[in-house]
Amino acid sequence: MTDSSGFDSGFDVVIDSLTAVFLIVGALMSLGAGIGLIRFPDLMSRMHAATKPQVLGLFLVLAAIGLQMRTWWVWPILLVAWIFQLLTVPVAAHMVGRAGYRTKHLHPELLSADELEAVVQRAAEAKGTEALREGSKHTGGTGNK
Amino acid sequence: MKDLVLVVTAVILSLAAAAAIYRIAVGPSLLDRVLASDVLLAILGAALAIDMAVNRHLNNLMLLVALSLIGFIGSVTVARFVSDRREQGRD
């Protein structure tokens, strides 16, 4: 499409069709996330579907940009953008999943293994005894602070 | 081929955005809505990137990075808020 001579026009066609495939598959990742959001039963399985366009979809689309720009200095910028997304998405997913587990937004019968239950229970017990101790200390020593 | 790719991806992304908006509207809990709005943000980012790839410019690249930052801060903030409020309510 650019000022290509007859020599590398076949190369252009290959790159353009590869770009088209990347773009359409990257868009299909978003569609998969949308369908998963509608059809899956609880928060955890919806989170599984929701991460597809955020990581793989973004990678495919950014690779399509890099293929179309045809300059080498674009690739480090695209890589930084993708790595930034790769660093922030797991943290956000961890926070949402943690909040979802602690507020009981899940179907326990759909889980095949629940390794967090014992940890959460122990933390809740420790917090309960600590709150009890702090409450007694507070009622015992009034007026000191 | 350029127009074909644009039309196909526009249809696919519109369907996906409609699904995400449906989940934001009916989502049973706040966390479902946060997750769906995160997906909607990812779909917007994909649309910006497809525009960059098809029209061969890099104007939206910083916008893309800022969009992922906004999504990160939004989900983390709402998730913390939800867990704090529920724990206080239960005590």
Side-chain angles (χ1 to χ4, degrees):
Chain A
M1 283 186 222
T2 52
D3 50 349
S4 61
S5 59
F7 176 68
D8 54 5
S9 63
F11 191 61
D12 272 357
V13 169
V14 170
I15 283 192
D16 279 349
S17 25
L18 199 62
T19 305
V21 169
F22 275 12
L23 286 179
I24 289 175
V25 174
L28 281 176
M29 291 291 154
S30 297
L31 185 61
I35 293 174
L37 277 182
I38 285 188
R39 290 193 54 91
F40 279 156
D42 67 341
L43 179 69
M44 300 295 166
S45 42
R46 280 177 203 144
M47 282 174 65
H48 152 72
T51 46
K52 263 69 196 169
Q54 292 174 346
V55 176
L56 185 56
L58 188 72
F59 170 75
L60 288 171
V61 171
L62 288 180
I65 295 175
L67 284 177
Q68 280 296 305
M69 291 308 284
R70 313 275 174 83
T71 44
W72 62 268
W73 54 266
V74 178
W75 287 97
I77 301 175
L78 299 176
L79 193 68
V80 165
W82 189 61
I83 286 178
F84 186 69
Q85 180 88 345
L86 211 60
L87 287 177
T88 54
V89 159
V91 180
H94 171 81
M95 296 301 294
V96 172
R98 179 177 176 277
Y101 187 92
R102 300 232 172 177
T103 53
K104 305 282 184 288
H105 281 127
L106 75 167
H107 297 301
E109 69 272 9
L110 291 179
L111 296 179
S112 55
D114 190 357
E115 295 174 336
L116 192 55
E117 191 179 13
V119 180
V120 168
Q121 223 152 30
R122 216 181 311 136
E125 280 170 10
K127 199 176 180 182
T129 57
E130 192 179 314
L132 215 64
R133 207 180 306 141
E134 287 220 342
S136 65
K137 201 189 294 174
H138 186 66
T139 52
T142 49
N144 278 343
K145 289 167 190 174
Chain B
M1 185 148 116
K2 201 168 153 180
D3 289 340
L4 181 71
V5 168
L6 262 185
V7 168
V8 169
T9 51
V11 169
I12 292 173
L13 288 183
S14 304
L15 287 176
I21 290 172
Y22 170 79
R23 181 50 71 190
I24 291 177
V26 306
S29 72
L30 182 60
L31 287 171
D32 283 315
R33 295 194 171 96
V34 169
L35 194 67
S37 63
D38 227 7
V39 170
L40 192 59
L41 214 58
I43 292 169
L44 281 179
L48 288 175
I50 287 171
D51 175 51
M52 277 192 284
V54 171
N55 294 325
R56 291 188 178 170
H57 60 85
L58 290 173
N59 300 342
N60 300 334
L61 201 57
M62 288 306 117
L63 190 57
L64 206 62
V65 175
L67 215 62
S68 75
L69 186 66
I70 289 170
F72 170 66
I73 293 174
S75 350
V76 169
T77 308
V78 176
R80 282 216 69 93
F81 175 67
V82 167
S83 65
D84 278 343
R85 200 168 72 166
R86 284 298 178 94
E87 276 172 14
Q88 281 173 7
R90 207 186 295 146
D91 279 346

